[in-house]
Amino acid sequence: MSRPAVVKALWGAAVLVLVAGCSSGGTEDRPGTAPPTSPPVTATASASASAGPSGSASAPAGGRVAVAGTLTEGLRSPWGLAELPGGDLLVSSRDERTITRVDGRTGAKTPLGEVPGVVPGGEGGLMGLAVRDGWVYAYLTAESDNRIVRMRYGGGDGDRLGAPQPVLTGIPKGLVHNGGRIAFGPDRMLYAGTGETGRTGLAQDRESLGGKVLRMTPEGRPAPGNPFAGSVVYSYGHRNVQGIAWDDEGRLWAAEFGQNTWDELNLVEPGKNYGWPEAEGRAGEARFVDPVAQWPTSEASPSGIAYARGAIWMAGLRGQRLWRVPLSGAERSGDPEAFLSEEYGRLRTVLAGGGGRLWLVTSETDGRGTPGPGDDRILRLEVS
């Protein structure tokens, strides 16, 4: 029986399912156990004919996802995920304002405490995480703005986070479209995906930090080589970027929510305009960059992405599935494929762990899902 059927049987009509498009969603082992000795459950790929009018042939053979087990469960509104040296994970709770360390082998959870200054509300709260050189970086919603802070972690303090130090402030905040994903690129610069907070004009305003991909030094200054002098803005014309990842050639990819029609996967290049609010999905206009792939919002509503085995893997919230987008250089090499459709509910974050392994975070307790026993969880995937 699929996961939604189990949830329905357990919970019935007592739970209201909310599937707003702007946030837009097998057998597994017990939390913390090693992968099963029997062959893992393997999802069969299904190509989506509605992935956009590409005119390309059927999705190439070979894409597979094996659910090797559940690392941990019982998480509340998990959002950001970052891997520590040694393989343990840090996961943020958007609404509870906390960061938890998860043992990468056993799944044991160690609370690290609440991050001061976080003001959750709507789609805002404690969101993306990144780790670099003894610092934990966090993208969060504060009283007056969205901002990036960093906290000392490890060393003589053990499992304690230091006081937050501002890295970048003044990112617009709202009840919706707060962006929130951060990651360090191959160039050791810090990147952030932001949203336009429902004020669509911010996306085209290069003086605003809303509706952008930002690039900065670890201290929050404009990174050398940025396209606009004295600015952390790297690209603009975005609606709500919650997924960023690099392929093995160092190209930057980003996923963003559409409004009512098309969600997008974009190849992000410095100084380029990605069209919002004048364009949603492919526009075919020289002044805008068209997405490499697009989906109806009901089939994706994407949040985190990761790169592994020659493909971008994209977590879908409202779509409740994991998308695989095969790449050949800067272009798609086949149609997107859907995996795990409606098996684990809303999917928030996906993180590459090396060697064809992915960590996948569910998002049923974010106020828009249908939480069941064990939600939310981190799944261990093997992909090819």
Side-chain angles (χ1 to χ4, degrees):
M1 181 181 291
S2 69
R3 182 186 177 284
V6 173
V7 170
K8 183 177 290 185
L10 291 172
W11 292 77
V15 181
L16 177 64
V17 181
L18 300 177
V19 290
C22 64
S23 266
S24 128
T27 302
E28 57 182 292
D29 59 2
R30 296 184 302 276
T33 60
T37 54
S38 57
V41 175
T42 302
T44 301
S46 61
S48 172
S50 56
S54 64
S56 57
S58 300
R64 293 171 68 84
V65 173
V67 181
T70 298
L71 176 65
T72 197
E73 60 183 23
L75 300 170
R76 307 304 298 175
S77 62
W79 210 103
L81 191 69
E83 187 170 14
L84 292 165
D88 287 354
L89 302 173
L90 296 182
V91 58
S92 66
S93 169
R94 185 192 69 184
D95 300 337
E96 297 189 350
R97 303 172 287 187
T98 58
I99 295 177
T100 299
R101 181 170 182 154
V102 179
D103 188 295
R105 184 179 61 86
T106 69
K109 298 188 292 257
T110 302
L112 303 186
E114 184 177 303
V115 177
V118 181
V119 181
E123 296 174 9
L126 182 59
M127 294 178 281
L129 298 177
V131 174
R132 176 60 57 90
D133 298 333
W135 294 95
V136 174
Y137 289 74
Y139 185 115
L140 60 87
T141 306
E143 185 67 39
S144 61
D145 60 2
N146 285 307
R147 58 181 56 192
I148 300 170
V149 303
R150 64 179 183 176
M151 299 159 280
R152 280 290 184 190
Y153 179 64
D157 291 330
D159 275 333
R160 295 178 56 190
L161 291 168
Q165 301 179 15
V167 172
L168 182 70
T169 62
I171 303 170
K173 64 172 280 189
L175 288 177
V176 296
H177 309 174
N178 288 290
R181 196 70 60 184
I182 57 175
F184 280 94
D187 56 4
R188 298 184 63 84
M189 297 294 107
L190 179 63
Y191 292 73
T194 73
E196 34 76 307
T197 70
R199 292 174 284 170
T200 59
L202 297 184
Q204 291 294 322
D205 180 1
R206 296 209 305 253
E207 299 301 314
S208 171
L209 300 181
K212 308 293 189 297
V213 173
L214 310 178
R215 177 176 179 262
M216 68 203 79
T217 69
E219 298 74 32
R221 294 188 291 272
N226 274 6
F228 308 113
S231 174
V232 296
V233 172
Y234 190 68
S235 63
Y236 65 107
H238 300 285
R239 184 172 181 267
N240 189 19
V241 176
Q242 287 192 2
I244 51 178
W246 289 263
D247 63 25
D248 53 12
E249 297 297 324
R251 287 176 287 257
L252 174 60
W253 299 84
E256 68 178 273
F257 292 86
Q259 183 171 23
N260 299 314
T261 310
W262 297 115
D263 295 323
E264 300 178 2
L265 176 68
N266 287 297
L267 175 63
V268 177
E269 298 179 277
K272 296 296 181 65
N273 184 347
Y274 288 79
W276 180 255
E278 297 181 55
E280 180 183 359
R282 297 185 181 94
E285 296 187 28
R287 57 192 175 126
F288 302 139
V289 178
D290 281 343
V292 173
Q294 64 184 35
W295 297 260
T297 55
S298 61
E299 296 185 5
S301 295
S303 191
I305 64 173
Y307 177 82
R309 301 295 196 195
I312 292 290
W313 300 84
M314 187 179 80
L317 288 165
R318 184 180 174 193
Q320 299 187 36
R321 66 200 76 180
L322 179 68
W323 285 100
R324 173 184 180 265
V325 183
L327 301 177
S328 176
E331 299 180 352
R332 255 175 43 202
S333 60
D335 289 340
E337 304 168 89
F339 298 88
L340 308 179
S341 296
E342 298 186 339
E343 291 187 41
Y344 296 93
R346 293 161 58 82
L347 305 179
R348 171 68 67 180
T349 297
V350 58
L351 179 70
R357 185 186 66 200
L358 295 176
W359 300 112
L360 181 64
V361 181
T362 67
S363 191
E364 287 290 282
T365 60
D366 67 348
R368 287 181 168 150
T370 308
D375 285 328
D376 271 306
R377 62 199 75 209
I378 301 175
L379 301 172
R380 184 192 300 112
L381 308 182
E382 296 175 1
V383 303
S384 59

